[in-house]
């Protein structure tokens, strides 16, 4: 490099912007030449581990699946969120989860669904109005995501979509330090709890009315 070779520095190098989640996921999809495990995904996310894992696990739970699947797929979301709320610096998952893997074809299919949606959001998000100092944001979002993750695991038909969507938005907001997106994620979370409360209340009312006939 010219300047360094001459023993002169013409200026400090510009700080590189960390790669966005869509770029990290796209790189993983390109590099996948064998089964992709959760350990591989966690390690590839590097310093974006918590935010990336929130987005990944939340996105998986947004795929329509039979109710029992949410209890299983929501477990990693609960584990990761709990560690964030506790203040852990590195995501830990049980060995039996870290060793779980899917074929590269299945992984690319998930990424083909996930990446375009992240890219659309990344076009409008940026670091702004972030209300937290240092790791306070991780703990706050972890606490909120833990509650939403527990809701995701409930056996409510289609009841996991909005909480999972809110968690994915919060994870992306954390990754980009975007306070406006954080607000959007919070509003979606409130809407999710309202919808689920209405569903549970309606089910309880109908059950009471039905048994009241006998």
């Amino acid at each position: 490099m010219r300047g360094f070779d001459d023993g002169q520095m013409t200026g400090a190098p510009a700080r590189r912007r960390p790669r966005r989640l869509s770029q990290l996921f796209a790189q993983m999809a390109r590099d996948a030449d064998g089964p992709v495990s959760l350990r591989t995904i966690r390690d590839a996310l590097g310093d974006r581990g918590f935010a990336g894992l929130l987005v990944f696990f939340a996105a998986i739970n947004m795929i329509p699946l039979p109710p029992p699947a949410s209890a299983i797929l929501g477990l990693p979301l609960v584990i990761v969120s709990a560690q964030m709320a506790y203040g852990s610096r590195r995501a830990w998952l049980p060995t039996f989860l870290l060793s779980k893997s899917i074929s590269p074809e299945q992984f690319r299919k998930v990424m083909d669904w996930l990446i375009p949606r992240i890219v659309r959001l990344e076009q409008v998000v940026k670091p702004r109005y972030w209300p937290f100092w240092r790791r306070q944001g991780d703990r706050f979002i972890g606490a909120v995501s833990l509650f939403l993750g527990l809701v995701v695991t409930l056996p409510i038909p289609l009841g996991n979509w909005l909480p999972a969507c809110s968690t994915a938005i919060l994870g992306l907001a954390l990754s980009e330090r975007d306070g406006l997106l954080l607000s959007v994620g919070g509003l979606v979370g409130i809407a999710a709890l309202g919808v689920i409360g209405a569903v549970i209340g309606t089910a309880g009312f109908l059950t009471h009315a039905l048994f009241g006939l006998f």
Side-chain angles (χ1 to χ4, degrees), residues 123-159:
Q123 290 175 347
V124 296
V125 301
K126 59 183 178 181
R128 56 187 167 183
Y129 308 123
W130 191 244
F132 303 108
W133 177 254
R134 294 186 178 178
R135 297 182 59 81
Q136 289 178 342
D138 296 56
R139 303 190 73 163
F140 174 81
I141 291 177
V144 175
S145 298
L146 174 59
F147 181 74
L148 293 173
L150 291 172
V151 174
V152 166
T153 63
L154 297 177
I156 302 174
L158 300 178

Side-chain angles (χ1 to χ4, degrees), residues 75-210:
L75 179 60
L77 195 58
V78 171
I79 294 174
V80 170
S81 300
Q83 292 174 72
M84 291 177 64
Y86 180 73
S88 300
R89 293 184 175 272
R90 177 176 171 80
W92 173 89
L93 289 169
T95 302
F96 78 91
L97 284 179
L98 286 175
S99 60
K100 295 294 183 183
S101 62
I102 59 176
S103 69
E105 293 77 20
Q106 291 173 316
F107 182 73
R108 292 191 183 97
K109 185 177 295 186
V110 173
M111 291 298 105
D112 287 343
W113 179 88
L114 177 60
I115 291 174
R117 288 162 173 78
I118 296 179
V119 168
R120 285 198 290 269
L121 282 174
E122 287 177 340
Q123 290 175 347
V124 296
V125 301
K126 59 183 178 181
R128 56 187 167 183
Y129 308 123
W130 191 244
F132 303 108
W133 177 254
R134 294 186 178 178
R135 297 182 59 81
Q136 289 178 342
D138 296 56
R139 303 190 73 163
F140 174 81
I141 291 177
V144 175
S145 298
L146 174 59
F147 181 74
L148 293 173
L150 291 172
V151 174
V152 166
T153 63
L154 297 177
I156 302 174
L158 300 178
N160 62 332
W161 196 91
L162 273 177
C165 178
S166 173
T167 304
I169 294 173
L170 291 174
L172 187 57
L174 175 62
S175 177
E176 298 294 330
R177 298 295 193 269
D178 190 335
L180 289 183
L181 191 63
L182 176 69
S183 300
V184 172
L187 291 175
V188 174
I190 292 172
L193 297 180
V195 170
I196 291 175
V199 170
I200 295 176
T202 301
F205 174 79
L206 293 177
T207 300
H208 179 74
L210 179 63

Side-chain angles (χ1 to χ4, degrees), residues 33-46:
D33 56 0
V36 181
S37 68
L38 286 181
R39 186 188 303 275
T40 301
I41 296 171
R42 183 199 64 180
D43 294 344
L45 289 171

